[in-house]
Amino acid sequence: MEDSLSQVTSSVGWSGMAHMLITLVCIAIAWWSLQHLKIDLFIRHPQSPQGKMLHLILAIIVGRAVAQFFLDYWGWTQSLRFLF
């Protein structure tokens, strides 16, 4: 009984770690890709602290959305095995 419980908790732990890493990687990729966005068309001073904070928030929003898509897709592919 304890061995089964430790396997489940270990599996949940590794799953959480994978979700965190995928989300952080997607945020980093979003940050990198947003570097080429001409944000000065939307705000007055893009190099100000507020402009940089807006850039960071946009990267987090876009990266989180992309990561959620990939994690959902992974979950859907895992559940396909119960179809057959």
Side-chain angles (χ1 to χ4, degrees):
M1 177 76 176
E2 280 187 35
D3 189 42
S4 174
L5 181 62
S6 67
Q7 287 178 346
V8 169
T9 56
S10 176
S11 175
V12 170
W14 283 111
S15 175
M17 181 67 75
H19 282 98
M20 284 175 32
L21 287 175
I22 289 170
T23 301
L24 288 175
V25 165
C26 287
I27 290 172
I29 291 171
W31 172 266
W32 174 74
S33 65
L34 286 173
Q35 295 294 317
H36 296 285
L37 180 68
K38 284 196 149 248
I39 203 162
D40 58 342
L41 298 174
F42 303 107
I43 58 174
R44 289 187 191 135
H45 306 289
Q47 296 303 321
S48 68
Q50 292 89 355
K52 291 181 181 184
M53 181 58 74
L54 178 63
H55 200 133
L56 177 64
I57 290 170
L58 284 173
I60 291 171
I61 291 170
V62 170
R64 175 71 175 125
V66 170
Q68 190 62 44
F69 169 76
F70 283 122
L71 293 171
D72 284 345
Y73 193 81
W74 178 260
W76 298 331
T77 58
Q78 293 300 310
S79 64
L80 281 178
R81 65 180 168 201
F82 299 114
L83 186 61
F84 302 105

